[in-house]
Amino acid sequence: MSDRQLTMMAVHAHPDDEATGTGGVLARYAAEGITTIVVTCTDGSCGDGPGGVKPGEPGHDPAAVAATRAAELAISCKVLGVAHSEQLGYHDSGMVGWPTNDAPGSFWSTPVPEAAERLAALIRRYQPDVLLTYDENGGYGHPDHIQVHRVSMAAVDLVESVSKVYMSTVPRSWMENMGSWAKEAGLDWDEPEDAPPADTPPMGVPDEQITAWVDTTGFSDQKYDALAAHSSQSDGEFFLKMGKEKFAKLMRMETFVRVRDTTGSPLREDDLFTGLR
């Protein structure tokens, strides 16, 4: 224990990811006086252009999309009380199989040691006690999310000063109940017509593997507003259509799997800073 202010760093792939998976804990811990840092690894240039146009379609300007998303990220971070927002500066790699996966400068095509050293420099600067990343599958198999996991773990190995590392994830039961919850909220939920390929890992992890269940009920409005700040993208529309009251009921908990710990704090946790204060 020391008098140094506690610090948390959340490493994300694209502008808007900070709001969906960690918006609640970012807002909660900022309100508790903890310094929060968001690191965004890509520019989000493969996101939606005006009117929802996709990469490769007429009217999609990657540079303009990146600029719009950078401005939205700044608003989101302000809403969540984030103290510092940093960008690693890589190009968005796009979805699996897109030509942008292997384009020069894309995050996916960047050697892990190279990107890890860039992230490690930020870890050395900010000295986070807690670092948040994704699981091995990047949550849902997106190349940039998988790369975030690889780069984050490699960077932590380089620095070895982070006390606790968590992978942001969702309980498998939450995914299984999503359809019924959506219908209860009066929203359309389209079940996939075809089963995913056999080698596709399911999204989320079994409930018993979740090691930290963090109550963010009091910060759901901030999380909602942060997600709404990314208005150029369609990813958050499903949740925003719920309205704040229903959103708060569904998104009242954020869940993590602890993968590194120097504090010896017992599992299961309800606070990512258990053992540090």
Side-chain angles (χ1 to χ4, degrees), residues 1-6 129 275-277:
M1 302 288 183
S2 73
D3 293 332
R4 185 181 68 84
Q5 188 168 13
L6 291 170
D129 303 280
L276 292 168
R277 56 181 177 177

Side-chain angles (χ1 to χ4, degrees), residues 8-14 17-18 22 26 37-42 86 88 107 119 122-123 128 130-134 144-145 147-149 151-153 155-156 166 168:
M8 181 177 76
M9 176 179 287
V11 186
H12 286 288
H14 313 98
D17 291 329
E18 81 292 336
T22 60
L26 285 168
I37 301 111
V38 167
V39 178
T40 308
C41 296
T42 83
E86 299 281 354
L88 287 194
F107 191 43
L119 177 59
L122 293 176
I123 295 175
V130 172
L131 185 138
L132 310 181
T133 185
Y134 305 139
D144 285 328
H145 287 243
Q147 188 78 328
V148 164
H149 170 81
V151 168
S152 297
M153 300 310 295
V156 169
Y166 293 89
S168 175

Side-chain angles (χ1 to χ4, degrees), residues 75-157:
I75 296 171
S76 172
C77 286
K78 183 176 181 180
V79 167
L80 297 173
V82 172
H84 306 282
S85 177
E86 299 281 354
Q87 290 79 45
L88 287 194
Y90 295 104
H91 294 314
D92 191 339
S93 308
M95 301 299 288
V96 175
W98 286 13
T100 46
N101 291 175
D102 300 315
S106 75
F107 191 43
W108 179 249
S109 69
T110 300
V112 168
E114 177 185 324
E117 185 52 57
R118 193 176 294 189
L119 177 59
L122 293 176
I123 295 175
R124 294 185 186 102
R125 181 193 308 174
Y126 290 110
Q127 293 292 302
D129 303 280
V130 172
L131 185 138
L132 310 181
T133 185
Y134 305 139
D135 61 27
E136 296 90 337
N137 187 45
Y140 65 105
H142 191 296
D144 285 328
H145 287 243
I146 294 172
Q147 188 78 328
V148 164
H149 170 81
R150 295 172 178 172
V151 168
S152 297
M153 300 310 295
V156 169
D157 285 340

